[in-house]
Amino acid sequence: MERVVARAGKDKKVRNFYPGLFADELEAVPDKPGVVQVFSSQNDLLGVGYYDPRSRVALRVYRFEQGPLDKKFFLHRFARAKEKRAKLGDFHRLVHAEADGLPGLVVDRFGGVLVVQVRNRAMEALREFWMPALIEVAEPRGLYERSDMDSRRQEGLPEQVGVLYGEVPPMLEVHEDGLVFQIPLALAQKTGYYLDQRENRRLLEQMIRPNERVLDVYSYVGAFALRAARQGAYALAVDKDLEALGVLDRTASKLGLRVDIRQGDALEVLESLARSKTPPFQHVLLDPPTLVKKPDELPRVKRLLVDLLRPALRLLDVEGWLWLSSCAYYLGVEELLEVTRRAAADEGRRLRVHAIHYNPPDHPWSLHVPESLYLKTVIFQDDPL
């Protein structure tokens, strides 16, 4: 097995179970990509990983002791991941990349179907070992790949979408607390459904009172809006994805629920609603996509969020609830508080922070990998004196 050597001081990252080193953090590397032993500059063994100079992160560390990266290794990793989620039912994230010791791999379980994303060159190169192990441990009816995300393109890897194993129906059937969504796999965003907002959706449903008004912006297939409607509220869902809104419409019809739909750009729709003097909403939810992927994008994205929040606050009822989520690592709680404070000042609204929520248990947050904390939701309440 080839060797890589971490520069002096950079070995601390690996000793603290951080699984990645950049090219400039390595002082000795092999001539070609492959599985490597990782050593400190004092020649201490730090672990075993995969080195590829073409990757954005040149070294991915998969184990922090001696041993091969073979099928047996992946069997153990998948078994641990499965054990941690044993009480979560049939719809959950089975593998959350680095937080489950598997950098570059995401696996979501939707009943008998697993949807996978392969995000880096290392996990792509190790496919022959991890895929049979995943099938053996998870025992899926079918395995479907959605490796068409930006991180893969940044690695110089081609998009890969399609059936990998077994039988995969054209429609992904998602069950959540009595809601059943039929989502075409060709449409699916990310792995098909946003499992990570499940606890927040449950919380919203508990808070809703009959005849309240709920505005669900960036709704996708409308899981928040449907839960509100199920409690007797008026719900309006806003999204630019017309096919996703079609899924919402069909789901609502099957359940005998009514959810109104507006297709279009979120900012344009919010401003239009605010101008139209529509009755205020008791709950306004903003759950935008990953708007920022690099630190230098933060100023632009914060300006955009302030622009979104201004009309959202105009639409919020007195003592109403504002829900603001971010699934971007670089857009943390402090940034969410800052942009909301700026927008509230512009609109003359006084808010209090009611609660802050993070990733759910099946999307674990590893202390040693800060990037594994990605989902933040701040719930504000209008707080007049």
Side-chain angles (χ1 to χ4, degrees):
M1 194 182 297
E2 297 276 5
R3 293 165 51 106
V4 300
V5 178
R7 290 189 183 278
K10 298 303 180 182
D11 59 313
K12 292 180 181 178
K13 293 173 67 175
V14 183
R15 291 184 193 276
N16 197 35
F17 303 106
Y18 190 80
L21 290 176
F22 293 101
D24 62 3
E25 296 177 312
L26 303 172
E27 66 179 18
V29 298
D31 295 331
K32 59 184 180 181
V35 177
V36 294
Q37 292 177 312
V38 186
F39 288 87
S40 72
S41 57
Q42 288 79 40
N43 206 37
D44 298 322
L45 178 71
L46 302 176
V48 175
Y50 193 92
Y51 169 75
D52 189 333
R54 295 168 294 177
S55 181
R56 190 173 56 86
V57 179
L59 174 68
R60 312 274 181 174
V61 182
Y62 285 92
R63 59 190 308 164
F64 298 90
E65 74 289 323
Q66 183 65 272
L69 301 183
D70 56 6
K71 181 183 175 184
K72 182 179 178 182
F73 164 78
F74 286 106
L75 284 170
H76 173 72
R77 280 284 196 272
F78 291 135
R80 285 284 295 135
K82 182 179 178 181
E83 178 186 359
K84 293 173 187 176
R85 295 155 172 89
K87 298 180 180 180
L88 292 178
D90 292 332
F91 295 83
H92 57 259
R93 175 152 292 183
L94 176 61
V95 175
H96 190 49
E98 289 85 354
D100 283 303
L102 293 165
L105 185 66
V106 167
V107 183
D108 283 348
R109 176 182 284 283
F110 298 101
V113 175
L114 300 182
V115 181
V116 306
Q117 288 186 333
V118 184
R119 297 181 172 183
N120 64 36
R121 301 187 73 90
M123 196 56 81
E124 183 66 45
L126 296 167
R127 185 185 288 259
E128 64 179 295
F129 302 109
W130 64 256
M131 200 168 94
L134 176 61
I135 292 167
E136 185 172 328
V137 171
E139 301 178 297
R141 185 174 72 251
L143 198 62
Y144 190 82
E145 183 165 6
R146 281 301 303 248
S147 296
D148 55 353
M149 71 296 298
D150 284 342
S151 59
R152 187 174 171 92
R153 289 186 282 273
Q154 292 167 7
E155 292 280 289
L157 291 169
E159 293 184 0
Q160 194 155 316
V161 177
V163 178
L164 292 178
Y165 164 83
E167 298 179 4
V168 177
M171 291 288 213
L172 189 67
E173 187 168 278
V174 182
H175 295 247
E176 183 179 283
D177 298 345
L179 301 177
V180 181
F181 298 90
Q182 296 281 343
I183 303 174
L185 275 167
L187 150 72
Q189 296 180 19
K190 293 194 175 179
T191 61
Y193 184 74
Y194 294 90
L195 294 163
D196 52 5
Q197 285 280 21
R198 178 178 55 240
E199 276 73 11
N200 284 330
R201 289 189 285 263
R202 287 172 176 163
L203 178 60
L204 174 72
E205 189 166 11
Q206 291 168 11
M207 292 173 66
I208 293 293
R209 298 294 177 264
N211 300 315
E212 288 188 328
R213 290 170 54 83
V214 177
L215 177 59
D216 181 8
V217 185
Y218 301 102
S219 68
Y220 187 46
V221 295
F224 277 106
L226 284 163
R227 283 178 177 267
R230 188 160 67 177
Q231 292 299 101
Y234 167 81
L236 173 60
V238 177
D239 203 280
K240 67 179 181 181
D241 188 335
L242 193 56
E243 290 184 273
L245 292 174
V247 173
L248 163 57
D249 194 41
R250 291 189 292 275
T251 305
S253 294
K254 288 180 181 177
L255 293 168
L257 299 173
R258 177 190 169 185
V259 174
D260 282 355
I261 289 168
R262 285 284 295 270
Q263 189 269 336
D265 174 77
L267 179 57
E268 292 176 5
V269 173
L270 283 169
E271 290 178 337
S272 173
L273 288 170
R275 286 193 304 268
S276 70
K277 306 299 183 183
T278 185
F281 294 87
Q282 285 70 49
H283 292 267
V284 176
L285 298 98
L286 297 175
D287 184 15
T290 306
L291 297 169
V292 52
K293 297 178 181 178
K294 296 184 293 185
D296 60 6
E297 296 174 339
L298 260 178
R300 173 187 59 81
V301 171
K302 288 198 290 188
R303 287 194 297 272
L304 171 61
L305 284 175
V306 173
D307 288 343
L308 284 166
L309 284 160
R310 286 192 194 109
L313 286 168
R314 279 177 236 141
L315 292 162
L316 185 67
D317 198 8
V318 175
E319 297 190 44
W321 303 87
L322 173 69
W323 302 59
L324 178 61
S325 292
S326 166
C327 58
Y329 166 67
Y330 292 109
L331 195 63
V333 169
E334 288 304 316
E335 286 74 26
L336 295 182
L337 296 175
E338 176 195 342
V339 296
T340 308
R341 190 181 297 115
R342 286 164 55 185
D346 290 344
E347 295 300 322
R349 300 296 290 266
R350 185 173 187 270
L351 305 176
R352 71 177 183 89
V353 177
H354 172 72
I356 301 172
H357 298 288
Y358 300 97
N359 309 2
D362 58 332
H363 295 62
W365 170 12
S366 171
L367 172 65
H368 309 283
V369 186
E371 298 89 340
S372 63
L373 171 62
Y374 75 100
L375 180 64
K376 290 79 55 178
T377 298
V378 185
I379 306 173
F380 302 91
Q381 188 179 24
D382 180 62
D383 190 26
L385 291 173

